Amino acid sequence: MKRPENIVYWLNDRPPAAIAAFVGLQQMSFLGVYLAISPLFVRTENIGDHDSQILMATTLLVSGVGVMLQAVGRLGIGSGYFCPLQTTSASFATMELARLAGGLELAFGMVGVMGMAQILFGEVFRRLRSVFSVELAGVAVTLIGLGLGYKGVTLLGGIDAPGGLWKHDIAVGFLALAVMIVCNVWSSGSLRLFSAFAGLAAGLAVSVLVDGIRPEDAENYKATPLLALPQLPTFGWAFDPKLVVPYVVLGLAFSLHGFGALAAAQRFNDSEWRHPDMAQISRGIRAEGVSNLIAGLVNGLPLTSSGGAVSLAAATGCTSRHIAYWLGGILIALAFVPKVTVLWFVLPVPVIGAAAVFLSSFTLLAGLQMIASRMLDNRKILTVGIGLLLGVSHEPLKHYYREELPSFLVPVTQSSVALGVAGATLLSGVFRIGAGTRRRRSFVLGESQLDDVIDYLDRQGRAWGARADVVRRSEYAMWQAFEILHDYGFVVRNERGQGIVEVETLVDEFTFTVIARYRGEVIPLATHAPSHDALLESDTGILEMAGYLLYKLADRVRSRALSHGMAELRLTFVE
């Protein structure tokens, strides 16, 4: 793991208390946007003001516990990364599925079932690490960025704004976006850490100055008490065996979304990121499952990992997991101060959209970089392409998906990320049929050309999504090995005078290995370059230099004798 240049406070860095508090408030200002899900839900369900405040408080409590649980990473729960939890529109749909069948108590009971399913999926994902490849993580992160950007553009333009637009809202939204960009691009030092917070604050301040606050929002703020003690639980629980399968599928959908957010967190924290660490992602999904299990018990709304919050951390240069404890403390404290949480509903909708547009750019580019870092053959191109198309089709076709698909598949269509990643995961598994990790080809020394080696290894690299630079290194190293075998006569010729070398590739999650087998003598390898005198005076000096160069070209080199006069040269390149 290598620290990215744009990160001021890295994963295990401990920022000064003042900066940590401000960064925590900035994250809260972004996550607070999603608090609108709670009032939207209670208005639909005709829940009274008292119960609605309690619902918001319990959701804040669980979110605060969840972000700390995710960061601490103990006892097999939590990824150890800063990856907050948030409510989403999928949370609303999750509640509705059970509420229509048996009321709110059944909805909260089944949210607990979904949480338990996520805990199980955490282990499933770890065991299927070969399916959840780099390009699949790239699809998930790209769709998170696209979804966030789509929502941001619609809100910034005032399209489908809840409650309609008010005075100068769109202009204020573009002003907020401009402030975020200026602070992030042309500022230096600590100001970049608070670029998103500066934009949101500027939007709120200008709205107040131009009398752009709705009268009903102002009245609601005045009527909200300063302090309130949440009552747990408010609605109770119920259970329906008929809903177990749909909620297990919902658990899968939430887990797939979490996979994307956690993969983004890994990518943003490592400039040399090569593949998703499925052990960490598995623990992260378990933490999300435990949080939703708690949400069901205390009657809070279901939560999912926030790709937007992860992007905000990367965009502002502070990915330290110690911020999770500050943010968790702020969320828990605000659960007892409803008057402060109401402030987030005063923000103009286009200002919220500006923040989403700003953050989506970083997430989208990170996802595309993850996909482009691997060599893709036709199978992987189809996996990535169809997965992205399914995700992009979510918004225009979501009503069709909900009405026409079999009922057990509907939960997967609750978000573009879940839909796209589910399709890509299915294809990734199917395309592994008939594809082996070992492929062999024979080459004739002195007759085979460099292009033949490049073509063979290039095909193997694409088939298994290897990094392009790793394959390029393997091509050069293998050609050097061919020249050594040919020039120094290590290979025994057959009856037709041909020196045959059989080349095999062996690929796993972390390495790309090229193995050359031939009948003849073992190539001597040198761990140190021969001296200048040895090169001039010794007949074996040049051979020693060749063996040393071969040793340096790969991450691991092994040369050994096999039975029946055979020899093997194994070159391993770390992915």
Side-chain angles (χ1 to χ4, degrees):
M1 179 179 286
K2 184 178 179 180
R3 182 183 192 136
E5 292 182 0
N6 65 314
I7 299 300
V8 181
Y9 295 103
W10 199 23
L11 187 62
N12 291 311
D13 292 342
R14 192 183 297 271
I19 291 179
F22 271 107
V23 172
L25 286 171
Q26 177 175 244
Q27 287 284 350
M28 178 61 211
S29 68
F30 174 73
L31 292 172
V33 169
Y34 294 95
L35 291 175
I37 299 295
S38 299
L40 178 63
F41 179 73
V42 300
R43 288 170 191 166
T44 304
E45 306 303 326
N46 296 318
I47 299 173
D49 291 340
H50 177 70
D51 287 342
S52 67
Q53 290 176 9
I54 294 175
L55 178 63
M56 185 178 294
T58 55
T59 303
L60 283 168
L61 285 172
V62 177
S63 185
V65 171
V67 67
M68 291 189 287
L69 195 64
Q70 186 70 266
V72 71
R74 293 290 187 271
L75 302 176
I77 298 174
S79 63
Y81 286 91
F82 176 75
C83 187
L85 303 177
Q86 67 178 45
T87 55
T88 66
S89 56
S91 303
F92 183 89
T94 301
M95 297 295 292
E96 280 293 281
L97 184 64
R99 186 201 65 81
L100 294 174
L104 285 173
E105 62 275 12
L106 180 59
F108 288 111
M110 298 312 295
V111 166
V113 172
M114 185 188 77
M116 289 188 287
Q118 284 183 274
I119 295 172
L120 295 176
F121 280 122
E123 179 62 22
V124 171
F125 279 29
R126 186 183 67 82
R127 293 180 179 275
L128 293 178
R129 64 181 63 193
S130 60
V131 174
F132 290 93
S133 56
V134 174
E135 56 272 14
L136 197 64
V139 169
V141 176
T142 301
L143 289 176
I144 288 176
L146 286 173
L148 192 61
Y150 175 85
K151 191 66 175 176
V153 169
T154 56
L155 293 178
L156 184 61
I159 303 170
D160 297 328
L165 293 176
W166 191 242
K167 302 174 184 177
H168 317 297
D169 275 357
I170 294 180
V172 172
F174 277 98
L175 173 65
L177 179 59
V179 171
M180 294 177 194
I181 293 173
V182 168
C183 291
N184 188 267
V185 175
W186 286 287
S187 67
S188 59
S190 298
L191 183 57
R192 188 166 66 89
L193 292 170
F194 312 116
S195 51
F197 187 84
L200 293 170
L204 179 59
V206 172
S207 294
V208 173
L209 289 174
V210 300
D211 194 26
I213 303 299
R214 294 172 177 79
E216 59 270 24
D217 290 336
E219 290 297 324
N220 184 32
Y221 178 74
K222 293 178 182 178
T224 302
L226 177 62
L227 300 173
L229 187 66
Q231 300 173 6
L232 312 175
T234 300
F235 305 98
W237 316 277
F239 176 76
D240 186 349
K242 296 178 182 178
L243 293 176
V244 169
V245 172
Y247 272 85
V248 168
V249 178
L250 272 171
L252 174 61
F254 272 61
S255 298
L256 291 171
H257 191 282
F259 166 71
L262 290 163
Q266 291 181 352
R267 171 66 180 81
F268 287 138
N269 276 283
D270 186 2
S271 62
E272 296 182 343
W273 185 90
R274 296 175 177 179
H275 47 74
D277 185 334
M278 291 308 298
Q280 286 183 329
I281 289 177
S282 174
R283 294 194 295 270
I285 292 172
R286 287 193 205 114
E288 186 176 321
V290 170
S291 299
N292 279 325
L293 180 58
I294 296 172
L297 292 174
V298 303
N299 289 179
L301 291 177
L303 303 166
T304 188
S305 297
S306 175
V310 171
S311 302
L312 174 58
T316 55
C318 183
T319 59
S320 170
R321 63 192 183 95
H322 293 284
I323 301 299
Y325 308 120
W326 287 88
L327 175 60
I330 292 170
L331 290 167
I332 293 171
L334 289 180
F336 298 88
V337 191
K339 200 172 189 71
V340 176
T341 58
V342 173
L343 280 175
W344 273 270
F345 304 120
V346 179
L347 274 172
V349 168
V351 174
I352 299 170
V357 169
F358 174 71
L359 299 175
S360 67
S361 305
F362 296 92
T363 311
L364 178 59
L365 184 60
L368 293 176
Q369 287 175 334
M370 292 163 73
I371 295 172
S373 69
R374 318 303 286 194
M375 299 180 67
L376 305 178
D377 66 347
N378 289 342
R379 300 185 187 209
K380 293 187 179 296
I381 289 172
L382 287 170
T383 298
V384 171
I386 293 176
L388 289 175
L389 286 173
L390 285 173
V392 171
S393 73
H394 175 262
E395 284 298 327
L397 297 179
K398 60 184 177 183
H399 296 296
Y400 169 81
Y401 289 141
R402 292 171 184 171
E403 294 171 4
E404 301 296 332
L405 289 179
S407 58
F408 71 92
L409 290 178
V410 170
V412 181
T413 67
Q414 298 299 333
S415 76
S416 60
V417 179
L419 178 61
V421 178
T425 302
L426 180 63
L427 288 174
S428 180
V430 170
F431 285 151
R432 292 185 67 82
I433 298 174
T437 55
R438 294 174 181 263
R439 289 290 186 274
R440 295 182 176 89
R441 178 175 168 178
S442 295
F443 295 87
V444 179
L445 295 181
E447 298 180 15
S448 297
Q449 303 298 316
L450 174 61
D451 288 344
D452 298 326
V453 176
I454 291 176
D455 178 70
Y456 168 69
L457 292 178
D458 189 72
R459 287 177 181 273
Q460 293 307 104
R462 293 182 184 278
W464 295 104
R467 289 171 54 219
D469 63 315
V470 168
V471 176
R472 298 288 88 82
R473 289 172 58 204
S474 72
E475 292 167 356
Y476 178 68
M478 186 49 59
W479 185 248
Q480 292 296 309
F482 276 18
E483 289 188 336
I484 294 172
L485 292 171
H486 179 266
D487 293 345
Y488 292 94
F490 284 103
V491 179
V492 176
R493 305 281 174 166
N494 60 17
E495 61 276 5
R496 288 184 289 182
Q498 296 175 323
I500 305 295
V501 179
E502 183 185 72
V503 179
E504 174 185 352
T505 58
L506 178 61
V507 183
D508 61 25
E509 183 184 3
F510 303 108
T511 60
F512 184 84
T513 302
V514 184
I515 306 169
R517 296 189 182 92
Y518 55 92
R519 185 174 300 279
E521 299 178 19
V522 174
I523 295 179
L525 299 175
T527 58
H528 300 283
S531 65
H532 180 72
D533 292 338
L535 284 173
L536 295 176
E537 299 174 2
S538 173
D539 294 336
T540 61
I542 296 178
L543 179 59
E544 289 178 11
M545 177 58 77
Y548 172 71
L549 291 176
L550 197 61
Y551 178 83
K552 297 294 291 183
L553 286 172
D555 295 297
R556 292 193 296 270
V557 182
R558 186 174 68 175
S559 182
R560 61 172 182 159
L562 303 176
S563 58
H564 307 295
M566 299 294 292
E568 176 186 277
L569 175 66
R570 181 181 294 249
L571 307 175
T572 300
F573 305 86
V574 177
E575 283 274 310

